[in-house]
């Protein structure tokens, strides 16, 4: 067919006229074919079969026009004789988006008198604007015409918009006298579907029947900011956006000064408390209380509430409560400890690597140089433990001994996600470190630290006899001098831990004796050599 012939020839040149393709056949008048009718309208009559000896001739185009804007097939088209604006719109597929009426702009080159040219003629571009029902739709097109269909304006002239921390951002039809309270339904407007999905996911059915697990009591519910919302309004006279803040709580109560009247095109924005930093009194704080209290659980607290306040709300202490052993953990303290552990690990690693490198350079024997390898592995193990440690974030309360009671709690203001654990009173003391028998001993009201160490078998050979370390049940740590310790009447509290450290700085006597023996031996050889030399001279 003609189409096959055009494709075999590589298609028409851009300046070729696809609307007047001539099929020349011997003994017949030329047949004019409009390829647009075939391609755009599917007319098979415009694609006849070829015969041997046929000639396809594509003349130069008579002209072009363009259709742009809100049409279905914007493009540059070949101009056909007698073509109207309506024909061009049909060829471009008509107006897109179901637009019933549209403003059509026709730009056309015309000959005329240009201003400031002393009456000389020249081409000028003129503009005509009309709608689809205008008589101009029947006007003939000319070469170089440009048809522009203006797109639909995105402006909503009869609607108001709701967005922000709401269940569903929507546009709603505006009605005369409409107010903020008419746009918002307090029972359904403020909780987003994603919030319910998140909260439902925390209590999935697959978790039923499992053993106890850590409870995530962090509250991230996006609370609505009831004290502040905003109305956005565009002022066309100034071409500027205006902002009208209002109190959302009072607006929903239809307070006249806050329940603003809406105009078409307005936007109401609802914020959450997380959008702006709120006063301390507005934050929701949750504290976990467990252990020896009558009603363990999660308790919301107000700004300034203390340990005594929240323990009172938990029903008070039981008869077995051990106030001195209270474990008070704080999230901010845990984050600080994690940062300090990381810095300590980096510092230890750098210092020991520098120390081992310096010792290797100053080594006087192969044995001394080879000692660095196992030490380096030990340092790497220590550093890895520090980096993977999970600190508790415990805050020491500095309570006065095992007899501390409820009133001895410090007046410490609580923070969000604080955790208070009150254990039962233990009856043991733990001894660890460089003693012959590490373990747990029964607590005695009159026994001193020295007594517990002696009952653990006493000090080992490599124990650091300069002092011990005592970890109190209240989270404090003390370093006690041994000479003062054994002569004192100091006693421990239930739950305390005594650690006897090893003296890691001391050298083995064997190695020390060997080193000095080598020195004296070398001095003896030197003295003998000098004596022989003096005799021979």
């Amino acid at each position: 067919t003609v189409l096959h012939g055009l494709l075999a020839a590589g298609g028409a040149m851009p300046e070729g006229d696809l609307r007047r393709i001539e099929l020349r056949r011997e003994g017949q008048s030329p047949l004019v074919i409009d390829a647009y009718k075939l391609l755009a309208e599917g007319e098979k009559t415009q694609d006849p079969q070829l015969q041997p000896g046929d000639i396809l001739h594509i003349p130069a185009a008579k002209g072009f026009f363009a259709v742009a804007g809100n049409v279905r097939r914007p493009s540059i088209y070949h101009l056909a004789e007698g073509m109207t604006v309506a024909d061009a719109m049909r060829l471009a597929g008509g107006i897109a988006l179901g637009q019933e009426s549209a403003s059509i702009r026709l730009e056309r080159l015309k000959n005329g008198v240009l201003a400031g040219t002393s009456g000389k003629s020249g081409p000028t571009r003129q503009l005509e604007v009309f709608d689809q029902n205008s008589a101009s739709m029947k006007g003939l097109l000319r070469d170089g015409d440009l048809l522009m269909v203006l797109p639909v304006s995105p402006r909503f002239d009869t609607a108001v918009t709701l967005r922000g921390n709401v269940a569903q951002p929507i546009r709603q039809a505006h009605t005369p006298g409409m107010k903020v309270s008419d746009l918002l339904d307090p029972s359904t407007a403020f909780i987003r579907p994603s919030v319910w999905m998140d909260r439902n996911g925390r209590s999935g059915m697959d978790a039923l029947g499992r053993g106890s697990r850590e409870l995530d009591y962090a509250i991230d519910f996006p609370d609505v900011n009831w004290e502040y919302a905003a109305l956005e309004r565009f002022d066309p006279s100034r071409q500027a956006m205006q902002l009208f803040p209002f109190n959302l709580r009072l607006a929903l109560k239809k307070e006249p000064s806050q329940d603003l009247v809406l105009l078409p095109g307005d936007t109401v924005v609802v914020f959450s408390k997380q959008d702006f930093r709120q006063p301390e009194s507005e934050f929701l704080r949750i504290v976990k209380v467990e252990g020896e209290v009558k009603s363990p659980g999660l308790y919301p607290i107000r700004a300034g509430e203390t340990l005594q306040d929240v323990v009172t709300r938990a029903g008070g202490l039981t008869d077995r409560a051990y106030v001195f052993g209270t474990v008070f953990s704080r999230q901010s303290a845990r984050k600080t400890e994690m940062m300090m552990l990381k810095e300590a690990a980096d510092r230890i690693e750098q210092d020991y690597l520098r120390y081992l490198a310096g010792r290797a350079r100053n080594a006087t024997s192969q044995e001394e140089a080879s000692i660095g390898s196992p030490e380096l592995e030990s340092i790497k193990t220590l550093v890895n433990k520090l980096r993977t440690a999970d600190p508790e974030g415990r805050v020491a309360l500095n309570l006065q001994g095992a007899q501390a009671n409820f009133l001895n709690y410090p007046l410490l203001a609580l923070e969000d996600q604080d955790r208070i654990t009150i254990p039962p009173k233990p009856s043991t003391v733990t001894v660890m470190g460089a003693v012959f028998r590490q373990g747990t001993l029964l607590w005695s009201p009159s026994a001193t630290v020295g007594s517990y160490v002696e009952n653990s078998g006493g000090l080992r050979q490599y124990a650091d006899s300069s002092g011990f370390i005592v970890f109190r049940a209240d989270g404090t740590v003390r370093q006690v001098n041994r000479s003062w310790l054994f002569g004192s009447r100091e006693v421990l509290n239930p739950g305390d831990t005594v650690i006897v450290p090893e003296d890691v700085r001391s050298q083995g006597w064997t190695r020390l004796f060997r080193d000095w023996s080598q020195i004296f031996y070398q001095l003896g050889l030197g003295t003998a050599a000098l004596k022989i030399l003096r005799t021979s001279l």
Side-chain angles (χ1 to χ4, degrees):
T1 66
V2 171
L3 181 60
H4 294 151
L6 287 175
L7 294 176
M13 299 291 288
E15 60 270 16
D17 193 348
L18 293 179
R19 311 213 65 163
R20 295 188 303 114
I21 302 174
E22 296 180 359
L23 173 58
R24 298 178 180 178
R25 183 170 294 166
E26 186 176 359
Q28 298 182 12
S29 300
L31 177 63
V32 179
I33 298 172
D34 187 352
Y36 273 48
K37 292 184 178 181
L38 171 64
L39 299 176
E41 301 175 14
E43 289 190 14
K44 184 63 176 176
T45 59
Q46 300 296 315
D47 190 24
Q49 290 187 342
L50 297 176
Q51 296 180 6
D54 285 354
I55 296 175
L56 289 177
H57 173 67
I58 303 176
K62 287 187 174 182
F64 299 91
F65 68 93
V67 183
N70 193 37
V71 293
R72 301 186 186 279
R73 289 196 297 265
S75 184
I76 298 175
Y77 296 93
H78 292 80
L79 181 63
E81 187 174 355
M83 196 170 187
T84 64
V85 175
D87 296 333
M89 294 300 298
R90 284 193 296 270
L91 186 60
I95 299 174
L97 298 178
Q99 196 172 345
E100 294 183 0
S101 61
S103 176
I104 301 175
R105 300 163 59 94
L106 173 60
E107 296 183 8
R108 173 171 291 174
L109 289 172
K110 286 187 176 182
N111 291 328
V113 179
L114 297 177
T117 57
S118 302
K120 294 181 180 180
S121 298
T124 61
R125 181 168 292 276
Q126 298 182 355
L127 177 64
E128 181 182 358
V129 181
F130 49 89
D131 58 28
Q132 292 177 274
N133 299 321
S134 173
S136 298
M137 294 292 292
K138 299 180 180 180
L140 297 179
L141 287 177
R142 298 179 184 179
D143 184 22
D145 282 354
L146 171 61
L147 291 172
M148 172 71 72
V149 179
L150 297 182
V152 179
S153 173
R155 178 180 176 182
F156 286 87
D157 292 330
T158 60
V160 292
T161 303
L162 174 65
R163 66 180 180 90
N165 189 39
V166 292
Q168 184 64 53
I170 60 170
R171 292 187 183 94
Q172 187 167 319
H174 177 268
T175 57
M178 188 177 186
K179 296 183 179 181
V180 171
S181 58
D182 299 324
L183 183 64
L184 294 168
D185 182 358
S187 62
T188 59
F190 299 108
I191 302 180
R192 299 194 300 268
S194 58
V195 174
W196 293 120
M197 294 173 63
D198 177 68
R199 296 181 68 82
N200 293 339
R202 297 184 185 181
S203 56
M205 297 300 293
D206 58 342
L208 297 179
R210 295 182 182 177
S212 61
R213 57 188 178 89
E214 184 66 20
L215 177 63
D216 180 13
Y217 62 96
I219 303 299
D220 57 355
F221 196 90
D223 294 330
V224 174
N225 189 344
W226 299 105
E227 309 304 322
Y228 179 86
L231 171 63
E232 296 177 353
R233 177 175 295 164
F234 182 74
D235 185 358
S237 62
R238 297 192 306 157
Q239 292 294 302
M241 185 66 69
Q242 295 178 305
L243 188 68
F244 301 95
F246 63 93
N247 187 299
L248 182 60
R249 187 190 309 276
L250 297 180
L252 295 179
K253 293 181 179 179
K254 299 186 178 184
E255 178 71 26
S257 62
Q258 303 299 320
D259 195 8
L260 304 181
V261 177
L262 302 178
L263 299 179
D266 284 353
T267 298
V268 176
V269 185
V270 177
F271 297 94
S272 70
K273 289 185 177 180
Q274 284 75 17
D275 291 328
F276 309 105
R277 185 175 180 85
Q278 303 294 314
E280 288 293 326
S281 58
E282 294 295 326
F283 282 109
L284 176 64
R285 300 172 180 83
I286 299 295
V287 172
K288 187 175 185 179
V289 184
E290 56 187 351
E292 294 300 318
V293 292
K294 296 180 180 179
S295 300
L298 303 177
Y299 290 91
I301 59 171
R302 297 179 298 273
E305 285 198 88
T306 63
L307 274 169
Q308 295 184 13
D309 297 330
V310 74
V311 171
T312 301
R313 294 173 61 189
L317 303 176
T318 66
D319 296 336
R320 290 177 47 83
Y322 186 41
V323 173
F324 183 69
T326 300
V327 178
F328 178 65
S329 303
R330 174 160 286 181
Q331 191 71 12
S332 58
R334 179 176 178 271
K335 293 179 180 179
T336 302
E337 290 177 11
M338 291 180 66
M339 181 179 64
M340 294 178 63
L341 282 175
K342 181 180 181 302
E343 293 177 355
D346 295 338
R347 185 167 56 251
I348 290 174
E349 186 177 37
Q350 294 174 3
D351 291 346
Y352 270 86
L353 288 177
R354 190 182 301 110
Y355 164 72
L356 293 176
R359 194 175 69 176
R361 288 194 301 267
N362 300 326
T364 57
S365 65
Q366 184 66 28
E367 181 181 0
E368 289 185 2
S370 63
I371 293 177
S373 179
E375 288 188 10
L376 180 60
E377 293 300 321
S378 300
I379 295 302
K380 288 182 177 180
T381 302
L382 172 62
V383 169
N384 289 333
K385 287 183 178 181
L386 288 176
R387 286 175 175 166
T388 57
D390 187 13
E392 185 180 13
R394 182 176 182 180
V395 178
L397 299 179
N398 294 317
L399 299 173
Q400 298 299 319
Q403 304 303 318
N405 56 37
F406 174 78
L407 297 177
N408 295 132
Y409 279 132
L411 298 177
L412 176 66
L414 298 177
E415 296 180 359
D416 184 32
Q417 299 188 44
D418 281 351
R419 185 169 182 171
I420 304 165
T421 304
I422 304 174
K425 185 174 183 178
S427 58
T428 58
V429 170
T430 303
V431 181
M432 302 175 63
V435 293
F436 281 95
R437 185 181 181 278
Q438 301 184 84
T440 302
L441 303 175
L442 289 176
W443 173 75
S444 174
S446 59
T448 64
V449 176
S451 301
Y452 290 111
V453 174
E454 290 178 353
N455 292 335
S456 298
L459 303 178
R460 295 178 65 96
Q461 180 181 0
Y462 300 109
D464 186 356
S465 59
S466 62
F468 304 138
I469 300 174
V470 178
F471 285 82
R472 297 288 189 184
D474 68 341
T476 58
V477 182
R478 293 185 59 188
Q479 187 172 11
V480 185
N481 185 283
R482 183 190 173 195
S483 60
W484 168 82
L485 174 68
F486 279 93
S488 70
R489 302 294 300 172
E490 182 75 14
V491 295
L492 295 181
N493 298 297
D496 288 351
T497 299
V498 180
I499 295 182
V500 180
E502 294 185 2
D503 187 2
V504 297
R505 297 170 298 176
S506 62
Q507 300 186 50
W509 286 104
T510 303
R511 179 182 175 188
L512 185 62
F513 178 76
R514 182 194 63 190
D515 293 342
W516 280 104
S517 297
Q518 289 180 354
I519 292 173
F520 288 131
Y521 177 72
Q522 297 294 337
L523 289 175
L525 289 179
T527 303
L530 290 174
K531 185 176 181 181
I532 293 173
L533 181 61
R534 187 182 301 113
T535 302
S536 62
L537 292 176

